[in-house]
């Protein structure tokens, strides 16, 4: 069981009453993703805001952000978990603004239809309480590895599906099974993968939560930190 997943899922107890157990995931899953992204971009937030003020063209902005931060995604909002709670009356609007100002490639919140949940949480007078709880969770990769983050996220999905009487296997493959698959995938290619300047592409046609892609990337970069790896995934379930 994921300790982090258990902690995040415990936040769902605050939703009891206005939300049914099978609805908890509509709030917990997108907020877990948002907090993870928030922690990742926090160190370079001011740099990105300065670049956004300088470059109006989104394509140019993306290039400049990538050069400055090394990341292909960004957020230009003046809000984050660090200051959202300072404006109690404007919390819902400010949170919506924060989500809207992610770069176009961060479209996950549209799939969750999360703005609808923001309004529902505000109406139930739960929004401030839930945001306060998530603010207390540090999900930066230096604190929570990609593997641990994947375990936590899949634990939450499993709990959510159990409440909805669905099968969690539709959404993820256990990490141990993925590690075995990755070892088999690279077994006969390890020597080739250590060559300088290699470029590889990896595609998962049933990506789920992306565990195969994440662990395959870790496996390759452990052998060759200078390797260039492009990851592609497809998933039927939005």
């Amino acid at each position: 069981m994921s300790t982090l997943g258990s902690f995040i899922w415990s936040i769902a107890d605050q939703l009891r009453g206005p939300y049914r157990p099978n609805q908890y995931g509509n709030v917990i899953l997108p907020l877990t993703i948002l907090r993870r992204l928030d922690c990742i971009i926090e160190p370079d937030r001011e740099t990105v805001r300065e670049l956004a003020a300088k470059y109006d063209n989104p394509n140019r902005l993306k290039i400049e952000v990538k050069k400055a931060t090394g990341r292909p995604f960004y957020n230009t909002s003046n809000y984050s978990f660090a200051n959202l709670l300072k404006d109690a009356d404007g919390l819902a609007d400010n949170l919506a603004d924060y989500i809207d100002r992610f770069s176009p490639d961060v479209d996950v919140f549209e799939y969750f239809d999360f703005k609808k949940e923001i309004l529902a949480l505000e109406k139930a007078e739960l929004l401030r309480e839930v945001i306060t709880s998530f603010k207390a969770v540090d999900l930066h990769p230096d604190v929570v590895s990609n593997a641990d983050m994947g375990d936590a996220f899949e634990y939450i999905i499993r709990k959510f599906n159990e409440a909805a009487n669905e099968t969690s296997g539709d959404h993820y493959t256990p990490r141990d099974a993925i590690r075995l698959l990755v070892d088999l995938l690279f077994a006969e290619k390890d020597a080739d993968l250590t060559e300088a300047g290699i470029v590889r592409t990896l595609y998962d046609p049933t990506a789920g939560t992306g565990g195969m892609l994440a662990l395959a990337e870790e496996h390759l970069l452990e052998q060759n930190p200078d390797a260039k790896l492009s990851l592609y995934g497809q998933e039927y379930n939005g």
Side-chain angles (χ1 to χ4, degrees):
M1 179 185 296
S2 165
T3 303
L4 175 62
S6 299
F7 174 71
I8 294 176
W9 185 258
S10 72
I11 299 173
D13 289 338
Q14 301 168 13
L15 305 176
R16 191 181 303 276
Y19 281 80
R20 303 285 296 171
N22 65 333
Q23 297 174 315
Y24 292 170
N26 298 340
V27 174
I28 299 301
L29 291 173
L31 277 175
T32 299
I33 295 172
L34 181 61
R35 181 57 176 147
R36 174 70 162 187
L37 294 176
D38 181 81
C39 292
I40 291 172
I41 64 179
E42 180 61 34
D44 305 303
R45 202 178 296 277
E46 288 304 320
T47 298
V48 171
R49 288 170 181 163
E50 292 172 5
L51 291 172
K54 185 176 181 180
Y55 300 104
D56 293 329
N57 185 301
N59 293 325
R60 177 64 185 279
L61 177 59
K62 182 173 183 176
I63 292 171
E64 296 299 329
V65 169
K66 181 68 181 293
K67 287 195 293 187
T69 69
R71 290 188 304 270
F73 65 91
Y74 56 87
N75 187 292
T76 60
S77 175
N78 289 322
Y79 299 104
S80 68
F81 274 81
N83 64 1
L84 275 170
L85 296 168
K86 292 180 180 179
D87 181 7
D89 294 334
L91 177 56
D93 289 338
N94 297 342
L95 181 56
D97 177 86
Y98 185 26
I99 291 171
D100 281 340
R101 294 185 183 276
F102 274 101
S103 50
D105 45 352
V106 181
D107 58 358
V108 63
F109 302 108
E110 296 174 21
Y111 286 99
F112 280 113
D113 198 12
F114 188 52
K115 286 186 181 179
K116 181 182 73 175
E117 297 302 333
I118 292 175
L119 295 176
L121 286 167
E122 184 182 43
K123 184 177 181 180
E125 299 182 350
L126 291 170
L127 184 59
R128 184 176 184 83
E129 186 175 353
V130 171
I131 294 299
T132 299
S133 295
F134 269 97
K135 180 184 177 182
V137 184
D138 187 352
L139 297 183
H140 191 278
D142 290 344
V143 178
V144 182
S145 69
N146 283 338
D148 289 341
M149 193 71 233
D151 287 342
F153 195 72
E154 289 169 359
Y155 171 80
I156 297 166
I157 288 179
R158 184 166 66 252
K159 296 288 287 185
F160 174 46
N161 288 341
E162 287 172 356
N165 293 318
E166 295 182 5
T167 57
S168 57
D170 289 344
H171 303 275
Y172 79 101
T173 303
R175 276 295 189 274
D176 289 342
I178 292 177
R179 290 188 179 94
L180 175 59
L181 289 170
V182 168
D183 287 343
L184 292 172
L185 178 66
F186 290 132
E188 297 181 1
K189 301 181 182 296
D190 279 356
D192 297 336
L193 298 178
T194 58
E195 294 179 6
I198 68 164
V199 178
R200 291 291 184 272
T201 298
L202 184 66
Y203 169 61
D204 185 350
T206 55
T209 58
M212 173 71 80
L213 297 171
L215 289 181
E217 180 180 42
E218 288 180 5
H219 182 102
L220 176 57
L221 295 180
E222 282 177 2
Q223 298 180 75
N224 188 346
D226 297 324
K228 304 294 184 182
L229 181 64
S230 296
L231 303 174
Y232 297 90
Q234 173 180 281
E235 176 54 43
Y236 177 78
N237 187 314

